Amino acid sequence: GATDDTVAVQATINRVIARGGGEVFFPKGTYLISAALTVTPASTIKSVALRGAGRYTTFIKSNHATANAVTVTDCSGFIMEDLSLSHSATSTGTAIALVGCYDVRLTNVWVTAAIWKYGIRTTLGAAPGQYIRATGCSFQAVGANSCGALFESGTDIKLTDCVLAGAGAAFGVGGTAQEIGLKGSYLNTAATVGSVTIGDGTGTTVNTGDGGKWVKVTGCHFTGAAANEFRIATTGNLRFHEDNNTFSETSVTTSDLSDGSYYGSSVWG
């Protein structure tokens, strides 16, 4: 953890891509990086995996104030599991940035608290992205307008048994993202906008256009300092469904839910 491992780790990732895909394994230890690790395979490469020895034993630790930890661009079949992403201080970057990715699997990945502006973020690449799954992960963020999990692009995204936290929102949907599912997870924020923002996810209400359609949240627990910890804030075309959730507060805010629908049956307070 004292020596900069950026060049060595990136070279290993590049070799795997050059050989047609495969796995980069990180044994127990801390791997210090001073720039984003990038996974940008050719269109013919169908799978690249970054695997650790466990989220409590393998750490990829950044020391850059603005860079992402890992940026994956236009990749099909990307896998990350059994490791943690940490930082020597804080970063305005994203721990896991997915740009136009297809068929992504994240399992037992821990983005440590109070470090990144975004824990995980999807944006538009050569394609909008599709089939993103995260199970048993933690995506936590810090700083003004931060968001634990922010989806601005992609279709059919599912998070199960995850921990989400951010100062702007724990979970945000905006842009062209749609068909989002969140199940059995814990969401926390201290923001006044709430744990869930169907908007830009950073504390600001925005017009999502046709994005954010068909969002479903099931069996989750919401907590935070805000009375409106659960907030739907959009003027886009939205169909939002929540059920069997629990909340530490007693109300839901559905401001600006024009051109959309809300269905809910949960326990408040």
Side-chain angles (χ1 to χ4, degrees):
T3 302
D4 190 337
D5 299 309
T6 309
V7 173
V9 173
Q10 187 62 60
T12 303
I13 293 172
N14 293 345
R15 279 199 301 273
V16 167
I17 292 173
R19 292 175 180 177
E23 174 182 308
V24 178
F25 179 68
F26 295 81
K28 177 182 178 180
T30 299
Y31 300 84
L32 182 66
I33 58 173
S34 56
L37 300 176
T38 59
V39 181
T40 311
S43 60
T44 55
I45 308 303
K46 297 303 180 185
S47 180
V48 175
L50 305 183
R51 286 193 173 93
R55 73 186 191 197
Y56 295 122
T57 56
T58 298
F59 298 86
I60 297 175
K61 183 177 182 179
S62 174
N63 64 6
H64 197 286
T66 61
N68 299 336
V70 180
T71 301
V72 187
T73 304
D74 299 327
C75 182
S76 296
F78 176 72
I79 296 170
M80 180 184 288
E81 60 184 31
D82 294 328
L83 55 80
S84 289
L85 299 173
S86 64
H87 199 284
S88 60
T90 60
S91 173
T92 56
T94 300
I96 304 170
L98 302 175
V99 184
C101 295
Y102 179 91
D103 190 15
V104 173
R105 298 289 186 273
L106 308 174
T107 306
N108 201 30
V109 174
W110 211 252
V111 176
T112 50
I115 289 176
W116 307 94
K117 183 168 184 178
Y118 304 107
I120 182 173
R121 186 180 187 182
T122 64
T123 54
L124 186 67
Q130 195 171 17
Y131 304 132
I132 297 169
R133 300 288 185 270
T135 304
C137 296
S138 171
F139 304 116
Q140 302 186 57
V142 67
N145 297 332
S146 65
C147 185
L150 175 57
F151 301 107
E152 298 178 295
S153 177
T155 302
D156 194 0
I157 300 171
K158 302 290 188 298
L159 277 67
T160 305
D161 298 331
C162 292
V163 176
L164 308 175
F171 175 68
V173 181
T176 59
Q178 55 185 317
E179 297 179 26
I180 313 295
L182 186 60
K183 183 178 181 180
S185 297
Y186 173 86
L187 294 87
N188 175 268
T189 184
T192 57
V193 341
S195 291
V196 173
T197 299
I198 310 302
D200 69 350
T202 63
T204 304
T205 302
V206 297
N207 188 336
T208 60
D210 286 334
K213 291 184 292 188
W214 298 113
V215 177
K216 185 172 184 179
V217 181
T218 305
C220 296
H221 179 70
F222 298 82
T223 184
N228 59 335
E229 64 182 23
F230 181 80
R231 179 180 176 88
I232 302 171
T234 182
T235 55
N237 181 14
L238 170 70
R239 300 294 180 270
F240 189 89
H241 186 185
E242 64 86 11
D243 63 270
N244 295 315
N245 300 295
T246 58
F247 301 84
S248 61
E249 301 294 344
T250 57
S251 65
V252 59
T253 299
T254 56
S255 66
D256 298 326
L257 188 58
S258 59
D259 194 26
S261 303
Y262 167 83
Y263 309 91
S265 59
S266 294
V267 178
W268 298 91

